Amino acid sequence: MNQVQWVRRVLKPAVFVAAAVPFGLLVKDIFGGTLGANPVEEITHRTGFWTLTMLTITLGVTPIRKVLRLNALIRLRRMLGVYAFFYAFLHFTMYALDRAVFSGLGLTVGAIVEDVAERPFVTVGFTAFVLLVPLAITSTKGWVKRLGGKRWQRLHRLVYVAAIGGVFHFLWLVKADIRRPVIFGAILTVLLGYRVGVWWVGKGRRQRAGHVVAAGASS
Amino acid sequence: MRVPVLIRRPPEILSSEITDEGLFLNRRKFVQAAAAVGAAGVAGSLLRPKGVRAAEPGQDEDKLTPYEDVTSYNNFYEFGTGKGDPVKNAHTLRPRPWTIRVEGEVGKPTTFDIDDIWSRFPPEERVYRLRCVEAWSMVIPWFGFPLADLLTAVEPTSAARFVEFKTLHDTEQMPGQRRGVLPWPYIEGLRMDEAMHPLTILSLGVYGKVLPNQNGAPIRLVVPWKYGFKSIKSIVSIELTREQPRNTWMVQAPNEYGFYANVNPEVDHPRWSQKRERRLGELFKRATLPFNGYADQVASLYAGMDLTRHY
């Protein structure tokens, strides 16, 4: 079995199942009544945590496959990204239900609008979620074709913005203990720093190549 | 004036004599029926919302929060910052032997042994709402005695204007203090008239049992009209002072937490609304009441004060 086959037949199904485990546990705890004293808060926190975790892992795919020269890992990226959106969707839905339905005021969509407008950590979190929506929609093979590889890739760079937004969303909501958001921030800095590094080195090469061509043309 | 939901004041209670929870709950049922506090019963889980509620839930429905929730959902950063951390980690606390030093602007500075406190200040039951600054709330049957009784015993001088409380500072017993999440030890404070108010108690137990470690054993403050963080846990020192104490959360984030911290639906936390709250066990939020519903008893303490400035 070559690398591609191994990823396709073994690793990808395994990751698919593993990434669903937090959701499975959540469902189990909801039906078992074992979410603790504040189930709404617990669901919101867990789904938020797993959104950031999935986003971070998704952004880790490219650096890992390049550093370890395991190109076939690219086949995991889209699935992980869709999982990130899945958890973000659950997170947003729980938040929206809490604000608009469980508010005790009857259905109040206005409460969400007000919250998004007034509270920076909600504004940032909501923006990050909205940015993920077009990425989730265009995650299908058909959309990749329709947009063309280059344009699709450019669009999907929005995930960088969403991930940074997600980390700030987390950082700004905690009361005093910033350890977990800082850990996410540090990992994200490394993963995005890697990309900046690659781009920087590539730019230098392109420039040098340009000089060589120019020098060749003048001689 | 021993107004609030006072149920009884036994002459003396040793921990060995404390009613077990089953008996306690039966007694509660009788008392609740008599006092029309509200029907007993455990609140529904998330999947069993208790029917469709009127838009404005009845504020008089103050059912006791189940013992399990009271003792497993705690903010006690000395044992970790997650709500479930204290119940897991607080076993390292040794609530006995324990002494509390009461000093400062007093005629008789005294070091009390916790067992002496039990015998000198016999606890009574007080059912109070507890409103956390994070917009959730509980209803808890405390077992405690008026802080005023303890303060009177040490004879405050006329210079005493404030009371400063300190939690134990011991990284062996409180491993959460190894991280600088907050400046340790935890400090809280009250104005003298707040401290002497009959609603303000020192609690030694919940649900007729000795305080579990995660709830602030062996002795903690309960000030029901203020946000929960004022009700400092595991107290080792009480000092009567001339100056206003610098309480921990105010030091940590002065734009978010003040000295008074009275429950006030009109003054939002900078990052979230304080207008409504989730009573643990309920799906639909309820309106937060000024002074957590104790306005009749305490609003006069703040007459003429701008509570948006003194938050």
Side-chain angles (χ1 to χ4, degrees), chain B residues 76 78-79 90 93-95 98-100 114 165-169 173-174 177 185-186 202-203 211-221 231-238:
Chain B
F76 199 174
E78 283 80 348
F79 300 104
L93 179 69
R94 296 186 300 273
W98 191 279
T99 57
I100 306 148
I114 190 67
F165 306 83
K166 282 198 186 93
T167 296
L168 175 71
H169 188 193
Q173 293 192 59
M174 297 183 151
Q177 291 174 335
Y186 194 87
L202 285 171
S203 173
L211 269 185
N213 287 358
Q214 64 271 23
N215 292 84
I219 184 165
R220 64 168 293 168
L221 183 68
S231 293
I232 183 171
K233 304 187 179 86
S234 304
I235 300 167
V236 291
S237 152
I238 298 176

Side-chain angles (χ1 to χ4, degrees), chain B:
Chain B
M1 183 183 73
R2 291 274 151 72
V3 217
V5 275
L6 177 153
I7 283 139
R8 68 179 181 135
R9 182 165 192 153
E12 181 168 353
I13 291 211
L14 300 171
S15 53
S16 58
E17 292 172 352
I18 285 176
T19 318
D20 94 315
E21 197 178 351
L23 290 173
F24 172 83
L25 286 170
N26 285 332
R27 187 162 56 84
R28 282 291 321 157
K29 264 183 201 155
F30 169 76
V31 173
Q32 279 180 328
V37 173
V42 172
S45 78
L46 182 68
L47 286 178
R48 295 185 285 109
K50 292 158 285 147
V52 182
R53 226 182 237 292
E56 197 64 40
Q59 295 299 331
D60 52 353
E61 288 178 53
D62 280 333
K63 293 178 200 159
L64 292 185
T65 303
Y67 179 81
E68 223 221 293
D69 290 350
V70 171
T71 55
S72 67
Y73 187 83
N74 309 97
N75 273 328
F76 199 174
Y77 284 16
E78 283 80 348
F79 300 104
T81 56
K83 296 283 185 301
D85 290 341
V87 67
K88 273 183 273 168
N89 302 332
H91 57 88
T92 51
L93 179 69
R94 296 186 300 273
R96 253 157 242 261
W98 191 279
T99 57
I100 306 148
R101 178 75 186 156
V102 188
E103 59 190 349
E105 297 292 344
V106 297
K108 288 203 246 167
T110 312
T111 301
F112 291 95
D113 187 88
I114 190 67
D115 293 321
D116 297 339
I117 285 186
W118 274 86
S119 49
R120 267 189 79 175
F121 307 102
E124 61 199 29
E125 185 177 286
R126 296 278 185 103
V127 178
Y128 284 159
R129 291 177 286 274
L130 176 97
R131 169 59 156 83
C132 179
V133 75
E134 297 166 359
W136 52 264
S137 61
M138 298 185 180
V139 180
I140 304 174
W142 298 106
F143 220 52
F145 63 92
L147 172 62
D149 291 357
L150 182 106
L151 296 181
T152 307
V154 296
E155 298 173 5
T157 70
S158 57
R161 293 183 54 226
F162 295 95
V163 186
E164 179 178 297
F165 306 83
K166 282 198 186 93
T167 296
L168 175 71
H169 188 193
D170 178 349
T171 53
E172 294 298 313
Q173 293 192 59
M174 297 183 151
Q177 291 174 335
R178 286 176 203 154
R179 293 183 56 212
V181 179
L182 292 173
W184 311 112
Y186 194 87
I187 292 172
E188 259 309 334
L190 294 173
R191 220 167 54 188
M192 200 61 194
D193 57 344
E194 298 174 325
M196 295 300 288
H197 194 279
L199 281 180
T200 305
I201 60 167
L202 285 171
S203 173
L204 302 167
V206 285
Y207 269 100
K209 295 182 178 187
V210 176
L211 269 185
N213 287 358
Q214 64 271 23
N215 292 84
I219 184 165
R220 64 168 293 168
L221 183 68
V222 180
V223 194
W225 71 92
K226 292 173 179 286
Y227 291 121
F229 69 86
K230 293 296 287 182
S231 293
I232 183 171
K233 304 187 179 86
S234 304
I235 300 167
V236 291
S237 152
I238 298 176
E239 187 182 346
L240 283 76
T241 64
R242 295 160 182 261
E243 305 292 325
Q244 181 174 300
R246 294 174 49 73
N247 50 311
T248 299
W249 278 102
M250 189 179 68
V251 171
Q252 172 81 11
N255 60 324
E256 299 188 340
Y257 310 100
F259 173 75
Y260 286 94
N262 293 318
V263 174
N264 189 347
E266 300 305 317
V267 177
D268 282 350
H269 186 284
R271 289 183 283 156
W272 56 82
S273 167
Q274 297 291 27
K275 287 187 185 63
R276 308 189 73 75
E277 69 196 50
R278 169 161 288 123
R279 181 64 51 82
L280 292 191
E282 294 179 359
L283 192 52
F284 291 89
K285 292 177 203 160
R286 51 170 72 206
T288 289
L289 302 176
F291 300 103
N292 202 22
Y294 301 97
D296 287 348
Q297 289 95 326
V298 301
S300 58
L301 297 177
Y302 310 99
M305 276 177 71
D306 178 359
L307 294 177
T308 55
R309 213 160 60 80
H310 297 283
Y311 53 82

